[in-house]
């Protein structure tokens, strides 16, 4: 699969996957809803907020869309292919609706925001179109739709963070959870549709984040991933919050930067691992790196998307850093945390990209020695700066050839990185049974590498930490033995 669907974070086990949540007993609710999520972890986290809002208004979740009264798709617009996947799924729901005309079908997320009411003209079966900042209005819109009107709310907000809503954990392994800390993006990378679909950047109340993480820890979770399009620009000012009548805010407290937030979450317990995603290379500060290096339980892993290794392309992309600046940042990370894992996002075939630019990308990947990358070919998105300013002039065959070279190089780098772990021992948080065998555990190292090892008759359980010595590997997985 070349064109991976993801955004904001990257959990390889969930990439591009859709899922259907379930309530412990959906029958205790009057009605049932079914939800599938596409794209980034932010969307998966949003679906958990939607589930909470729907539970409050009498809808229990089901895994089976054929028994649902309400079917929702939480959609992604990042690349054209992501949108095509959703359209295909809607065709299947159209068949269902012919048999059960009473069922409501709703489109949420980025595609809803991008296409707005055009969706209702294009896809006649859709009853609800709700953008990422309008989920609180879902119950009202459902009532309208039940009365036969189409329900649309795609208003973007400068304030909405859903801070007070406790997400209903869906399809959770009970060990790791995502916690949204900010929404939106102000960056305006020229290829990216996110600033248009998710609106302006805003940070969630720090106290509500800490409370959510503490509650997760107290109910057995052992890892939280702090999520945002650009986590390093997290900033919460209690004084400002008091002015906007936020009851959690204490004006005597200092403003909370991302580094301070990380530190506070890390202090909840040494047994709680903390991860975060995504960082913009221009915004990740020394303060964040130093905080990471001070706390053993802040995972030594940074997803630092570079997008291209060519200065000319980086400028066209409006990434606001150069190749040299990026390499210096990677060096600084390695200097402070020599064992830190680093991964990237890379786009092949952006407008005007030459063979030389492409070689710059390959060469930068080699210099950074990425442990892992998410790799895409450029997909022009309507309304973005690149679509308005530049011609999408690289033929598809060239884009694919370049992407193929990037993927091959990354496979080689990932294998090399895993091979360098042979014989080393890692502290691993057990997430559950290995996919291939329930005689094996699957967990992760602090560097976010998947580690598989035999249970060996021991009485460990999910959420336990164990030490595993690596005995062999593939490009994707470390295999080892518990010691
Ligand atoms: N075409 C291809 N890839 C894109 N991304 C964002 N927009 C596009 C696009 N128009 C990639 C970037 C980003 C990741 C989440 O998706 O690499 O970091
Ligand atoms: Fe898109 Fe750039 Fe913002 Fe990431 S930082 S969401 S790539 S505009």
């Amino acid at each position: 699969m070349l064109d991976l669907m993801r955004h904001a974070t990257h959990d390889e086990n969930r990439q591009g996957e859709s899922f259907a949540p379930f309530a412990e007993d959906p029958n205790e609710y009057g009605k049932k809803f079914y939800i599938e999520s596409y794209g980034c972890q932010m969307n998966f986290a949003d679906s958990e907020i939607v589930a909470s809002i729907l539970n409050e208004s009498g809808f229990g979740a089901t895994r089976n869309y054929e028994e649902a009264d309400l079917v929702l798709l939480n959609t992604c617009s990042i690349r054209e292919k992501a949108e095509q996947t959703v359209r295909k799924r809607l065709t299947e729901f159209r068949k269902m609706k012919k048999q059960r005309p009473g069922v409501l079908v709703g489109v949420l997320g980025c595609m809803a925001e991008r296409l707005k009411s055009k969706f209702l003209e294009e896809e006649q079966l859709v009853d609800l179109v709700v953008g990422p900042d309008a989920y609180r209005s879902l119950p009202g819109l459902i009532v309208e739709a039940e009365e036969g009107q189409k329900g649309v709310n795609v208003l973007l907000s400068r304030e909405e963070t859903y801070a007070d809503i406790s997400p209903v954990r869906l399809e959770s392994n009970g060990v790791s959870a995502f916690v949204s800390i900010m929404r939106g993006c102000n960056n305006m990378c020229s290829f990216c549709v996110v600033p248009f679909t998710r609106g302006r950047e805003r940070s969630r109340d720090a106290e509500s984040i800490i409370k959510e993480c503490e509650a997760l820890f107290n109910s057995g979770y052992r890892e939280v991933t702090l999520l945002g399009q650009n986590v390093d620009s997290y900033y919460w000012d209690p004084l400002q919050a008091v002015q906007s009548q936020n009851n959690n805010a204490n004006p005597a407290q200092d403003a909370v930067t991302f580094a301070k937030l990380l530190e506070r979450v890390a202090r909840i317990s040494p047994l709680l691992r903390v991860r975060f995603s995504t960082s913009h290379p221009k915004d990740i500060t020394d303060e964040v790196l130093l905080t990471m290096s001070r706390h053993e339980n802040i995972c030594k892993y940074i997803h630092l998307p570079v997008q291209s290794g060519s200065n000319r392309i980086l400028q066209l992309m409006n990434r606001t850093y150069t190749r040299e600046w990026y390499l210096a940042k990677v060096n600084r990370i390695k200097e402070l945390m020599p064992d830190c894992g680093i991964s990237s996002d890379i786009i092949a075939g952006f407008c005007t990209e030459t063979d030389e630019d492409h070689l710059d990308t390959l060469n930068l990947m080699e210099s950074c020695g990425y442990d892992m990358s998410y790799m895409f070919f450029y997909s022009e998105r309507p309304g973005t700066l690149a679509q308005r300013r530049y011609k999408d002039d690289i033929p598809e065959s060239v884009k694919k050839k370049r992407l193929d070279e990037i993927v091959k190089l990354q496979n080689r780098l990932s294998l090399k990185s895993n091979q360098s772990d042979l014989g080393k021992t890692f502290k691993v948080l057990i997430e559950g049974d290995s996919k291939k065998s329930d005689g094996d555990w699957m967990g992760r190292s602090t560097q976010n590498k998947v580690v598989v090892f035999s249970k060996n008759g021991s009485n460990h359980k999910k959420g336990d930490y164990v030490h595993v010595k690596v005995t062999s590997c593939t490009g994707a997985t470390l295999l080892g033995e518990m010691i």
Side-chain angles (χ1 to χ4, degrees), residues 7-8 78 184-195 201 229-230 278-280 305 307 317-319 345 347:
H7 201 67
I78 197 100
C185 182
N186 288 356
N187 277 330
M188 287 293 175
C189 299
S190 65
F191 51 79
C192 189
V193 76
V194 168
E201 222 164 72
Q229 245 74 42
N230 186 12
T278 292
S279 294
H280 193 297
Q307 314 296 359
M317 286 177 162
N318 198 24
R319 289 291 288 180
D345 287 348
I347 299 179

Side-chain angles (χ1 to χ4, degrees), residues 216-252:
L216 283 165
F217 180 73
N218 291 334
S219 53
Y221 284 81
R222 290 295 173 262
E223 183 179 88
V224 289
T225 302
L226 307 181
L227 280 186
Q229 245 74 42
N230 186 12
V231 287
D232 301 280
S233 47
Y234 178 87
Y235 187 80
W236 192 68
D237 182 354
L239 202 60
Q240 221 175 343
V242 166
Q243 280 156 8
S244 56
Q245 293 170 349
N246 178 322
N247 299 331
N248 275 328
N250 174 355

Side-chain angles (χ1 to χ4, degrees), residues 350-369:
F350 187 65
C351 313
T352 79
E353 188 186 71
T354 62
D355 282 336
E356 206 185 331
D357 294 319
H358 170 59
L359 286 177
D360 282 347
T361 297
L362 294 175
N363 171 291
L364 176 131
M365 288 173 70
E366 195 107 43
S367 304
C368 296

Side-chain angles (χ1 to χ4, degrees), residues 8-229:
T9 89
H10 66 285
D11 182 331
E12 47 268 55
N13 296 326
R14 274 185 160 187
Q15 259 181 46
E17 223 174 71
S18 54
F19 74 112
F22 62 99
E24 273 161 17
D25 180 8
N27 297 319
E28 73 185 50
Y29 296 91
K31 290 186 175 165
K32 292 181 185 143
F33 78 95
Y34 170 90
I35 189 165
E36 274 180 19
S37 306
Y38 293 85
C40 66
Q41 286 309 337
M42 205 69 193
N43 260 7
F44 285 77
D46 279 1
S47 290
E48 298 185 335
I49 293 192
V50 168
S52 176
I53 293 171
L54 290 177
N55 280 177
E56 289 283 308
S57 53
F59 283 83
T62 168
R63 284 170 187 273
N64 177 7
Y65 71 80
E66 286 174 351
E67 63 167 27
D69 304 284
L70 171 66
V71 172
L72 298 171
L73 289 184
N74 196 352
T75 63
C76 169
S77 286
I78 197 100
R79 282 168 291 276
E80 199 183 340
K81 204 173 152 214
E83 293 202 350
Q84 282 165 359
T85 310
V86 167
R87 299 262 192 201
K88 246 175 71 196
R89 196 66 178 134
L90 282 173
T91 317
E92 286 163 45
F93 291 145
R94 187 172 300 127
K95 286 184 209 141
M96 173 193 66
K97 201 155 167 156
K98 277 205 183 113
Q99 282 150 13
R100 294 197 301 134
V103 60
L104 297 179
V105 176
V107 174
L108 314 180
C110 289
M111 246 175 120
E113 193 61 51
R114 195 178 83 70
L115 292 160
K116 304 189 167 63
S117 49
K118 241 167 76 190
F119 229 123
L120 301 175
E121 293 153 29
E122 290 170 20
E123 305 276 353
Q124 306 259 326
L125 90 152
V126 173
D127 305 287
L128 294 162
V129 178
V130 188
D133 287 346
Y135 296 145
R136 285 182 206 265
S137 66
L138 260 168
L141 293 172
I142 292 168
V143 172
E144 282 175 28
E146 283 169 341
E147 287 163 1
Q149 298 162 47
K150 300 275 181 186
V152 183
N153 187 348
V154 288
L155 287 175
L156 286 173
S157 155
R158 278 174 182 265
E159 281 103 37
E160 182 62 272
T161 59
Y162 301 111
D164 57 316
I165 297 182
S166 291
V168 170
R169 302 290 160 190
L170 303 168
E171 294 286 298
S172 164
N173 61 7
V175 176
S176 38
F178 294 94
V179 175
S180 165
I181 64 162
M182 51 138 8
R183 301 178 72 82
C185 182
N186 288 356
N187 277 330
M188 287 293 175
C189 299
S190 65
F191 51 79
C192 189
V193 76
V194 168
F196 305 96
T197 59
R198 287 190 162 266
R200 306 290 292 169
E201 222 164 72
R202 66 220 96 119
S203 295
R204 178 179 165 191
D205 163 356
E207 307 308 319
S208 76
I209 297 172
I210 303 296
K211 274 191 201 141
E212 188 176 327
C213 294
E214 282 170 348
L216 283 165
F217 180 73
N218 291 334
S219 53
Y221 284 81
R222 290 295 173 262
E223 183 179 88
V224 289
T225 302
L226 307 181
L227 280 186
Q229 245 74 42

